[in-house]
């Protein structure tokens, strides 16, 4: 099972299923052993809608055979189906949520048990999952809960830029209150360790942004840098001399600045993801660091406006597969 990757289903009426089917049909993934976890009927409906002839094999459990034949599209069937009475491309519905969540949980458990090397996740529709009563904002938080991890770390990477988010899905208004010395210390340390072990960088160069304009301008524009970020950076710099910060975020993303670091920790979602997506949208990858399993994801959402049209870009999915394989390899090599 060592190189088998589990691919969850994602939102059944978004672009996820069509991306994995088209990647298979266009022979873009023939170098991988993939096990797709979801409702077989979703894949069959999507393939028929797109006019793709796909040789499906459906499994009820993982066997040595699963994912073993590059000329078959292998599916591990979820117990919960989606609600086919309301299935329509581009129209998310809470009736699909139980299947979507089961697919993620099953892929996670397979990775935890070592039955797959990593899990890769197409996008989910967070609104309909929430409307169905599931109380987590995204994969990252769900996986942390399933794996009992206190601090999952979200990294997005593309075009040589790696951004890590100190806070994720929460209001801008609440960001400052959420930042603590203990939390930042744990997050920066986890990032440094992931750069070493998952990305094979023995001496990582990590930059930490400030929260405020000009990194607070010595306290004139806010004091989070003085109270929180600078003391944590100073403390960790002893063990990690390649750590710099807090630095003003607005001058950290031009080409010359980017050449000076391997990754950057940003204080909130859009501070990091706007530059990342400007540079690399469509071929970036989302990696959850600090988990006992390897999990990667696409950089985009469900794209309901184009779902079912067969036009979605496959680039980020292909990068997510390759990154998952590489991190799994690096982790195994590090253990040797
Ligand atoms: N990893 C995940 O599960 C993620 C899920 N989402 C969810 O996706 C839903 C929609 O989010 P939006 O903010 O609208 O972002 P989005 O990424 O779905 O769409 C933004 C724009 O980019 C285009 N786009 C996205 N992926 C594309 C692709 N592969 N090829 C070509 N064009 C593409 C869309 O057509 C749209 O015009 C939300 O529920 C959000 O929470 C968003 C990001 C990540
Ligand atoms: N904006 C990134 C995003 O929404 C990804 O979330 P997750 O589902 O990977 O936790």
């Amino acid at each position: 099972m060592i190189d088998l990757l589990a691919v969850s289903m994602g939102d059944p009426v978004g672009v996820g299923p069509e991306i994995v089917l088209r990647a298979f049909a266009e022979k873009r993934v023939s170098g991988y052993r993939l096990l797709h976890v979801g409702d077989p009927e979703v894949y069959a409906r999507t393939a028929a809608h797109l006019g793709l002839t796909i040789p499906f094999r459906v499994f009820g459990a993982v066997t040595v055979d699963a994912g073993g034949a590059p000329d078959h599209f292998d599916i591990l069937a979820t117990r919960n189906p989606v609600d086919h009475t309301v299935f329509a491309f581009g129209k998310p519905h809470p009736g699909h949520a139980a299947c979507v969540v089961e697919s993620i949980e099953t892929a996670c458990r397979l990775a935890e048990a070592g039955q797959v090397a990593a899990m890769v996740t197409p996008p989910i529709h967070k609104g309909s999952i929430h409307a169905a009563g599931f109380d987590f904002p995204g994969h990252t938080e769900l996986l942390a809960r399933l794996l009992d991890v206190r601090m999952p770390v979200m990294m997005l990477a593309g075009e040589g830029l790696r951004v890590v988010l100190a806070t994720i899905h929460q209001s801008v208004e609440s960001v400052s209150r959420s930042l603590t010395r203990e939390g930042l210390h744990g997050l920066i340390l986890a990032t440094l360790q992931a750069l070493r072990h998952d990305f094979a960088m023995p001496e990582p160069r990590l930059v930490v942004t400030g929260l405020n304009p000009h990194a607070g301008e010595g306290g004139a524009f806010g004091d989070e840098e003085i109270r929180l970020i600078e003391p944590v950076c100073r403390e960790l710099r002893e063990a990690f001399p390649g750590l710099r910060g807090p630095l003003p975020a607005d001058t950290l993303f031009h080409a010359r600045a980017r050449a000076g670091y391997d990754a950057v920790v940003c204080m909130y979602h859009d501070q990091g993801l706007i530059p990342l997506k400007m540079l690399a949208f469509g071929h970036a990858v989302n990696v959850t660091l600090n988990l006992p399993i390897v999990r990667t994801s696409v950089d985009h959402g469900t794209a309901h406006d184009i779902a079912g049209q067969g036009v979605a870009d496959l680039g980020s999915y292909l990068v997510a597969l390759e990154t998952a394989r590489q991190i799994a390899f690096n982790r195994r090599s590090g253990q040797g």
Side-chain angles (χ1 to χ4, degrees):
M1 301 291 173
I2 203 81
D3 56 352
L4 185 63
L5 305 180
V7 180
S8 57
M9 181 178 70
D11 181 40
V13 295
V15 292
E18 78 181 59
I19 281 176
V20 302
L21 286 163
R22 283 183 36 231
F24 176 87
E26 294 171 20
K27 301 201 183 319
R28 308 284 295 277
V29 294
S30 38
Y32 295 92
R33 291 183 57 208
L34 304 180
L35 182 61
H36 307 86
V37 184
D39 177 346
E41 192 58 27
V42 167
Y43 297 101
R45 282 181 91 141
T46 308
H49 179 80
L50 296 174
L52 302 174
T53 305
I54 305 278
F56 290 114
R57 291 195 307 185
V58 177
F59 294 80
V62 183
T63 67
V64 282
D65 211 20
D71 49 346
H72 284 88
F73 186 101
D74 286 354
I75 301 169
L76 178 64
T78 47
R79 284 184 313 277
N80 289 294
V82 309
D83 183 347
H84 286 283
T85 64
V86 293
F87 185 97
F89 293 106
K91 304 275 181 247
H93 195 282
H96 305 322
C99 179
V100 171
V101 174
E102 184 192 336
S103 158
I104 298 166
E105 179 162 2
T106 302
C108 172
R109 296 298 179 212
L110 292 176
E112 189 182 22
Q115 289 181 282
V116 298
M119 64 182 286
V120 178
T121 60
I124 56 175
H125 184 252
K126 288 157 183 173
S128 51
I129 301 276
H130 188 74
F134 293 97
D135 66 338
F136 53 85
H139 291 93
T140 306
E141 297 83 358
L142 173 60
L143 293 173
R145 191 181 305 171
L146 292 172
L147 296 164
D148 205 15
V149 168
R150 204 167 62 84
M151 188 184 291
V153 177
M154 186 183 288
M155 170 189 276
L156 273 94
E159 291 289 330
L161 175 64
R162 298 179 189 85
V163 299
V164 169
L165 306 180
T167 59
I168 310 177
H169 293 126
Q170 61 185 77
S171 67
V172 171
E173 185 261 339
S174 69
V175 165
S176 172
R177 285 196 305 280
S178 310
L179 296 173
T180 63
R181 271 168 88 144
E182 190 206 9
L184 281 173
H185 188 280
L187 176 106
I188 296 170
L189 188 58
T191 303
L192 286 160
Q193 280 164 349
L195 289 169
R196 277 187 172 168
H197 303 301
D198 292 351
F199 293 86
M201 294 174 177
E203 293 182 20
R205 298 168 306 161
L206 183 65
V207 168
V208 181
T209 66
L211 171 68
N212 299 297
H214 307 188
E217 192 78 37
F221 303 157
D223 67 356
E224 287 84 352
E225 291 78 8
I226 294 170
R227 283 190 296 112
L228 305 168
I229 310 172
E230 164 56 26
V232 170
C233 289
R234 199 181 326 117
E235 202 178 314
L236 283 168
R237 205 171 289 127
E238 286 181 20
F240 296 92
L243 176 65
R244 289 186 293 139
L247 298 181
D250 62 339
T251 46
L252 267 183
F253 295 102
H254 60 84
R256 193 158 46 81
R258 294 200 309 274
Y261 56 77
D262 300 309
V264 51
V265 172
C266 297
M267 292 299 118
Y268 58 94
H269 186 277
D270 288 4
Q271 191 184 52
L273 295 198
I274 289 173
L276 188 278
K277 292 192 178 186
M278 281 195 69
L279 271 176
F281 188 58
H283 48 276
V285 57
N286 174 349
V287 187
T288 313
L289 311 179
N290 209 29
L291 294 182
I293 64 164
V294 178
R295 179 260 171 163
T296 67
S297 187
V298 292
D299 65 355
H300 56 82
T302 48
H304 288 131
D305 53 334
I306 56 168
Q309 296 176 18
V311 298
D313 198 299
L314 310 182
S316 178
Y317 174 57
L318 300 177
V319 178
L321 290 178
E322 188 49 35
T323 307
R325 176 154 74 180
Q326 189 63 54
I327 293 175
F329 174 82
N330 289 343
R331 282 197 186 180
R332 277 203 304 274
S333 309
Q335 283 164 9

